[in-house]
Amino acid sequence: MDGRRTTLEPTANLSDYAEACPRFRWADARAELAGLPGGAGLNIAYEALDRHLSDPAVADKVALRWLGRSGTSTFSYRDLAALTSRFAGVLTELGVAPGERVFTLLGRVPGLYVAVLGALKARCVVSPLFSAFGPEPVAERMRLGEASVLVTTPALYRRTVAPIRDRLPALRHVLLVAPDGDQPVGGDEGIDLAARLAEVSPDFTIGPTAPDDPALLHFTSGTTGRPKGALHVHEAVVAHYATARFALDLRPEDVFWCTADPGWVTGTSYGIVAPLVVGATMVSDSGEFDSRRWYRVLDEQRVNVWYTAPTAIRMLMRHGPGEAARHDLSALRLIASVGEPLNPEAVRWGADVLGRPIHDNWWQTETGAIMISNLLAAEIRPGSMGRPLPGVEAALLEQGPDGRARVDDQGRVRVLDGPAQGELALRPGWPSMFRGYLHDPERSAACFAGGWYLSGDVARRDEDGWYWFVGRADDVIKSAGHLVGPFEVESALMAHPAVAEVGVIGTPDPVAGELVKAFVTLRAGIEPTEDLRTELLGFGRRALGAVAPKQIVFDDALPHTRSGKVMRRLLRARELGLPEGDLSTLEVNPR
Ligand code: ATP
Ligand code: MG
């Protein structure tokens, strides 16, 4: 990173990238885990919890520090191991068999961690849903996933599930978690989980679990279309563990905070599994985004490693540096971000305002774990996603006219060498690769060609091997012979002090093919005047030249997915007057 932190970190978990890459084998990471006793396989929950019980340094330390509305609760590794065993016992008593699907519809409450890890102990397939979803997206996902069991709160049950319950014939049991205390729940709506947990034994023997047994069902964010259910297996834990150590530099002595909702893959892979497998203390904040509260959490909890998203960082940036200055953020060693492009502006803002640059990394629901990352002990090139982690073989494939990798009639693709731009692809073989989209073999098969997994994203690689996000293959704009990545244009405009957020799309033009158009949200208190528009057009032209936006409109309510990503697809649909798709399932969230 130019500027503040040029010293690299010799003590980082991954301090010598060039040396580590050729040497690393996934089998080495697997060997650091225990496996089920007696060679009975590999189970995510065992690695996250029970494995630590024989280590006195970890067994009684705090695994989960939960910040509830009315106070903080802590759970040791031993506590969580017992609670999750009880949960597995409850499922077994209810006759829920391995392989059946257990859905959670919960915010960040202790019951979430108990249910997810407990269901994994029972060898069920777990699907955490986003608790702010309305009835339709919940019904769609639960039907697709054939949910046998749902774990939720009484309030969420009434609001979201009761209206659709008759459309879920496979749903046999609803387990209810009291949100903030011990008040009795249950009755007609479902089973009082706390009462059941108290009745069963805390001893549960996890049955034989093959590394390739299904474990997690994650729905994608739905940025480009209807959400798909990506199926992951127990072996994914090897990647959760290794990537948390490499990309997040996570260590057993760390306090770690992942702000992602458990309804998104980040909130499970790194919000539940990885920190526990590493043996760290995780902070879980039940509240929604609030800049003051977040700074307080970072400060008071002495967070060492913080994993968040560009949308949150943009919101913090919108509030200015004042709040950050009132807090002691010196415990922070690493800040990481994922989910959307992280503008260079945000990387620098982190260094200036939080005292640490922000380390962008790239992965997808389908990859199950971080694949490309800016490492703690490596130079950050602001705007770049970093380099492939050890064990990850990435490539750029020559694109065809539709923007996707060109596949010849023999099923071959062309791998580009050196500095290049193409569809980002990964060599199958990393442990957390999804095993397919549920009930959609055709779509699953279409993700692979010529021995590669095709990500659907377009990236550029520089001469030193750093990867730069260009756009989703469907989002790339073709204007007057140029291929324009929306992210590059958005980042250039983000550098203007008046701009808070930008979404860039191509609009049809008879001469140029497409014209670059930017939708700009201004920072709080800034007036959207004609003068400012003219200034921004000039600002863009100076930074970008021929690929600068020709049109800029001010828009206070850019459409976001529920996970906070700008939905360019929807901006385009609105622009062209096309149907916007099934919004009831996408739950578009104008913020
Ligand atoms: P859907 O597949 O349903 O359209 P989605 O792709 O948004 O939704 P996710 O799997 O949650 O669902 O998101 C992964 C995608 O997010 C990546 O393919 C990429 O487009 C984007 N992304 C993730 N991290 C980064 C990053 N660091 N920089 C740029 N884009 C990123
Ligand atoms: Mg996707």
Side-chain angles (χ1 to χ4, degrees):
M1 159 93 206
D2 42 345
R4 302 255 298 251
R5 276 168 65 82
T6 46
T7 40
L8 302 183
E9 306 272 344
T11 59
N13 289 340
L14 180 54
S15 58
D16 189 340
Y17 178 78
E19 186 264 341
C21 284
R23 212 168 33 84
F24 177 81
R25 299 283 174 275
W26 288 109
D28 302 340
R30 166 66 185 83
E32 289 179 39
L33 303 179
L36 286 172
L42 184 66
N43 184 292
I44 295 175
Y46 185 85
E47 300 306 325
L49 296 171
D50 300 35
R51 172 171 70 100
H52 298 303
L53 299 187
S54 57
D55 179 351
V58 185
D60 292 304
K61 78 188 268 192
V62 176
L64 169 64
R65 214 186 278 156
W66 180 66
L67 315 179
R69 227 166 277 154
S70 49
T72 299
S73 313
T74 57
F75 298 82
S76 68
Y77 276 86
R78 201 182 294 286
D79 295 337
L80 280 187
L83 282 167
T84 51
S85 284
R86 286 177 189 271
F87 187 88
V90 169
L91 290 182
T92 308
E93 274 190 359
L94 290 172
V96 180
E100 287 199 63
R101 305 212 175 102
V102 174
F103 277 59
T104 62
L105 182 68
L106 291 167
R108 281 172 294 259
V109 294
L112 166 80
Y113 304 87
V114 173
V116 168
L117 295 161
L120 289 172
K121 283 189 171 179
R123 294 175 292 157
C124 294
V125 178
V126 185
S127 188
L129 292 180
F130 183 41
S131 61
F133 273 147
E136 285 309 318
V138 168
E140 191 192 3
R141 286 163 176 79
M142 284 181 65
R143 279 183 72 90
L144 193 66
E146 295 146 323
S148 308
V149 178
L150 173 69
V151 190
T152 187
T153 65
L156 283 171
Y157 181 84
R158 272 169 230 140
R159 190 183 80 199
T160 311
V161 185
I164 51 163
R165 177 87 193 243
D166 57 353
R167 286 161 52 193
L168 304 171
L171 181 63
R172 300 206 305 282
H173 304 290
V174 175
L175 301 176
L176 294 171
V177 177
D180 218 359
D182 298 322
Q183 65 270 46
V185 293
D188 293 347
E189 294 168 340
I191 297 166
D192 178 350
L193 180 61
R196 282 296 178 99
L197 287 174
E199 288 163 8
V200 294
S201 161
D203 298 316
F204 180 87
T205 305
I206 301 174
T209 313
D212 222 33
D213 279 351
L216 292 158
L217 174 65
H218 286 302
F219 290 90
T220 61
S221 298
T223 311
T224 52
R226 292 174 81 88
K228 303 154 276 194
L231 203 55
H232 290 272
V233 299
H234 278 275
E235 191 190 17
V237 69
V238 177
H240 297 149
Y241 171 72
T243 57
R245 294 204 8 98
F246 288 158
L248 304 178
D249 197 54
L250 206 58
R251 308 168 192 186
E253 62 272 23
D254 280 332
V255 174
F256 173 68
W257 185 26
C258 170
T259 60
D261 190 274
W264 313 120
V265 69
T266 309
T268 304
S269 293
Y270 298 97
I272 302 178
V273 178
L276 296 176
V277 179
V278 169
T281 293
M282 59 184 182
V283 169
S284 165
D285 177 22
S286 60
E288 291 308 315
F289 176 85
D290 170 342
S291 61
R292 278 200 198 124
R293 183 182 166 89
W294 276 30
Y295 284 124
R296 217 169 52 229
V297 172
L298 289 170
D299 176 352
E300 289 172 5
Q301 301 298 323
R302 310 308 299 149
V303 173
N304 306 117
V305 179
W306 185 33
Y307 197 16
T308 189
T311 178
I313 295 164
R314 286 193 299 259
M315 286 194 276
L316 290 178
M317 289 169 74
R318 248 172 127 162
H319 284 89
E323 196 64 38
R326 281 190 278 280
H327 290 278
D328 173 7
L329 306 177
S330 61
L332 277 173
R333 184 173 77 252
L334 175 75
I335 308 173
S337 159
V338 72
E340 271 190 292
L342 183 69
N343 315 89
E345 208 48 33
V347 179
R348 294 192 197 99
W349 176 87
D352 291 345
V353 176
L354 307 177
R356 288 282 179 269
I358 298 169
H359 296 248
D360 189 18
N361 56 57
W362 176 93
W363 58 293
Q364 311 177 300
T365 307
E366 291 85 345
T367 72
I370 301 169
M371 296 282 108
I372 296 182
S373 178
N374 282 286
L375 301 171
L376 179 63
E379 170 204 0
I380 295 184
R381 301 189 172 179
S384 155
M385 321 191 279
R387 291 174 293 176
L389 288 180
V392 174
E393 189 188 346
L396 298 175
L397 306 182
E398 184 187 58
Q399 295 168 264
D402 62 350
R404 300 298 307 266
R406 190 195 298 278
V407 184
D408 72 13
D409 42 17
Q410 310 204 9
R412 288 173 308 200
V413 294
R414 198 165 91 80
V415 176
L416 303 170
D417 292 327
Q421 178 168 315
E423 181 170 354
L424 178 57
L426 301 164
R427 180 78 80 190
W430 74 97
S432 60
M433 187 181 86
F434 79 130
R435 299 304 199 257
Y437 299 119
L438 196 67
H439 304 317
D440 204 343
E442 256 171 56
R443 200 171 198 176
S444 310
C447 293
F448 296 87
W452 294 92
Y453 164 71
L454 313 178
S455 73
D457 286 344
V458 177
R460 181 165 65 74
R461 185 176 50 225
D462 66 23
E463 52 286 356
D464 302 314
W466 266 257
Y467 282 74
W468 302 71
F469 185 77
V470 173
R472 292 167 187 263
D474 319 339
D475 280 346
V476 176
I477 304 162
K478 295 169 201 100
S479 183
H482 306 288
L483 274 184
V484 185
F487 170 53
E488 199 179 1
V489 180
E490 290 163 8
S491 287
L493 291 179
M494 283 286 289
H496 191 282
V499 174
E501 189 167 46
V502 188
V504 165
I505 60 164
T507 61
D509 179 79
V511 181
E514 284 184 294
L515 284 184
V516 181
K517 177 165 183 175
F519 296 78
V520 172
T521 305
L522 297 174
R523 278 180 199 263
I526 295 186
E527 285 300 312
T529 61
E530 269 317 303
D531 282 354
L532 181 56
R533 190 202 314 275
T534 311
E535 184 183 322
L536 285 174
L537 283 166
F539 185 79
R541 224 172 11 251
R542 280 191 298 281
L544 295 158
V547 300
K550 301 286 181 292
Q551 293 174 55
I552 289 180
V553 294
F554 295 119
D555 187 336
D556 241 357
L558 290 182
H560 294 89
T561 60
R562 278 293 195 173
S563 53
K565 304 182 190 197
V566 176
M567 290 181 83
R568 298 183 192 83
R569 178 175 67 82
L570 215 65
L571 285 174
R572 223 170 17 237
R574 286 183 185 169
E575 185 68 18
L576 301 178
L578 297 174
E580 294 189 351
D582 186 351
L583 298 189
S584 63
T585 64
L586 288 172
E587 292 269 313
V588 174
N589 178 20
R591 195 187 47 228

